[in-house]
Amino acid sequence: MTRLVITGGTLIDQTGTRAGDVAIDDGRIVEVGTAVTGDCVLDASGCIVSPGFVDLHVHLREPGKEEAETIETGSRAAALGGFTAVVAMPNTDPAQDCVAVVDFVREQGRKAGLCDVLPSGCITIGRAGELLAPFGELAAAGVHLFTDDGNGVQDAQLMRRALEYARPLGIVLAQHCEVASLTKGAVMHEGACCSRLGLPGWPSIAEELMVFRDIELVRLTGVPMHFLHLSTERSVQLVRQAKADGLPVTAEAAPHHFTLTDEMLSGYDSVFKVTPPLRTAVDIAALKVGLADGTIDAIATDHAPHAQHTKEAPLDQAPPGMLGLETALALAITELSGSGAAMTLEQIVAALSWKPAAIAGVAHRHGRPIAAGEPANLTVFDPTREWSVVPAHLASKSRNTPYAGRTLRGKVRHTVFDGTAVVVDSAATR
Ligand code: DOR
């Protein structure tokens, strides 16, 4: 076996921050210390070495929409973004509502060998919101997170039943919070900007009502729930209160929601169309406070690749969603840390690694402390390196990044997955 050694970096994990070299052999960390030697050296000078990142929310499009992304291209984008595990959303075609499909997704991830691809399962068959999916079978097949993402579960009684069936299985239900009757035909956030542009608005309350309803269902049942891609100030307040009440709720925010406002739609460019929509500066400020005080547990990308020709449709017909995997870390560092910092690097790493690892049910393998004996899933990133986003340079099969031309700070240098360097010097090795 080749002994890999990461030298000269600053280690950040849940036990603290310190200088150290890390040696890896046969998939595990075998030594942490100073002047550690090995057969193959990864230089980490000027870099942070952290537990591998875990993305709770990616759309890999396979099966069904391979023209936009495949599990292999999405896994490569994930590795380049520093992720060693990603939760694959179930809005594939066919949907991930049966064991055959989740097994296929996991197997394609295994074949790509760039990160762990963790299939989520649907809450309802076909994400149609009518019949519960076979939670027991899916849980037995290794599914931990269940969601109808892309759709919220509209029927409160069905959601209550879902929570009750989830209880003995120890699985987590993750809600896409959207009351559909309030968002019919909506294209962007309902506010001054949408009135000026003459576009149908998506009110904040469409999200907040479902956050509120589901918090009350968690209070009733005591069963944990995760809130996907929160985007409004009031949603953050509701989750903060629920946590203060001791309820088992967790939440995530996507980089685009804490970096871009609805004003971006002023040019009617569909690259800025996303669900839930880009909101206002007030909402961005609230998300940042929520991330900093731990109300929002995780940064999750909602990586949503779409083929160019579909995004070129008129705004009302273009699909919602934007790329996220390769820019998430840099957006977090650029927008959440620095002078007048809302978050320290340690907090950012927590929101990208061990906190989402726990929610995804993979805390035995990802987001582990950097110590001898632990699985070697690690991210090495330079928090000061500036780079420009060039869509053609991204590994994703799609190009729908809203950050084209933006200069960001923070870049992944190496990613080690299962003991293998899958990214070296910011390039994928496979
Ligand atoms: O913008 C979004 N795109 N939000 C979702 O919830 C679904 C996703 C997609 O699948 O494209």
Side-chain angles (χ1 to χ4, degrees), residues 59 61 91 149-150 176 229 274-275 302 304 306 320-321:
H59 298 271
R61 302 296 188 226
N91 59 339
D149 184 56
H176 167 114
H229 47 43
V274 65
T275 299
D302 195 0
H306 288 290

Side-chain angles (χ1 to χ4, degrees), residues 35-389:
V36 172
T37 56
D39 311 311
C40 175
V41 176
L42 294 177
D43 173 35
S45 48
C47 286
I48 304 297
V49 182
S50 79
F53 301 159
V54 176
D55 194 340
L56 288 167
H57 196 144
V58 303
H59 298 271
L60 297 179
R61 302 296 188 226
E62 189 181 348
K65 281 230 175 68
E66 291 83 355
E67 60 164 2
E69 195 78 286
T70 64
I71 290 171
E72 185 188 337
T73 58
S75 296
R76 193 166 294 114
L80 286 163
F83 295 94
T84 55
V86 295
V87 179
M89 288 294 109
N91 59 339
T92 47
D93 187 8
Q96 291 167 203
D97 61 8
C98 64
V99 172
V101 180
V102 301
D103 278 354
F104 169 81
V105 169
R106 192 183 291 98
E107 181 58 14
Q108 293 302 105
R110 203 194 53 73
K111 278 191 198 151
L114 289 151
C115 63
D116 274 334
V117 173
L118 312 167
S120 63
C122 297
I123 294 177
T124 67
I125 300 282
R127 300 169 45 255
E130 284 164 13
L131 292 171
L132 290 182
F135 290 180
E137 279 173 36
L138 288 162
V143 176
H144 183 72
L145 199 129
F146 288 69
T147 178
D148 276 359
D149 184 56
N151 296 335
V153 178
Q154 303 300 314
D155 182 333
Q157 168 71 343
L158 193 66
M159 198 61 206
R160 176 185 178 173
R161 290 278 173 262
L163 286 161
E164 288 167 350
Y165 288 132
R167 180 186 290 119
L169 299 169
I171 57 176
V172 171
L173 302 187
Q175 185 67 285
H176 167 114
C177 297
E178 176 186 348
V179 173
S181 58
L182 288 165
T183 62
K184 276 202 186 87
V187 166
M188 66 176 291
H189 172 65
E190 180 179 288
C193 188
C194 98
S195 306
R196 200 174 65 243
L197 298 175
L199 291 169
W202 181 306
S204 297
I205 200 166
E207 173 175 311
E208 294 151 356
L209 272 182
M210 195 170 279
V211 173
F212 179 80
R213 182 200 78 180
D214 283 3
I215 285 172
E216 293 311 308
L217 290 174
V218 170
R219 202 187 303 278
L220 181 73
T221 59
V223 179
M225 185 164 340
H226 178 68
F227 293 109
L228 300 167
H229 47 43
L230 291 188
S231 69
T232 82
E233 181 186 32
R234 183 88 184 105
S235 293
V236 178
Q237 289 168 352
L238 288 165
V239 172
R240 185 177 290 117
Q241 185 59 50
K243 286 189 169 189
D245 293 349
L247 299 180
V249 294
T250 55
E252 65 180 43
H256 47 265
H257 285 129
F258 61 72
T259 59
L260 304 172
T261 67
D262 56 346
E263 294 286 339
M264 304 304 290
L265 265 305
S266 297
Y268 298 87
D269 186 343
S270 69
V271 82
F272 299 107
K273 182 179 175 187
V274 65
T275 299
L278 302 177
R279 306 280 187 188
T280 67
V282 170
D283 298 301
I284 288 181
L287 290 175
K288 287 182 176 177
V289 173
L291 279 160
D293 72 12
T295 299
I296 299 173
D297 303 82
I299 296 169
T301 66
D302 195 0
H303 178 80
H306 288 290
Q308 187 70 14
H309 69 93
T310 63
K311 273 290 198 184
E312 277 166 3
L315 200 52
D316 59 333
Q317 290 156 40
M322 37 184 74
L323 301 184
L325 282 166
E326 293 170 79
T327 48
L329 170 73
L331 288 162
I333 291 175
T334 308
E335 302 277 342
L336 301 176
S337 73
S339 55
M343 283 176 95
T344 61
L345 268 185
E346 284 78 0
Q347 286 176 302
I348 289 174
V349 168
L352 283 166
S353 63
W354 58 87
K355 288 176 145 195
I359 296 166
V362 290
H364 57 290
R365 201 170 135 66
H366 294 272
R368 302 291 306 164
I370 303 172
E374 295 289 354
N377 293 309
L378 298 165
T379 303
V380 180
F381 64 94
D382 181 344
T384 60
R385 185 167 151 207
E386 295 203 341
W387 59 288
S388 293
V389 181

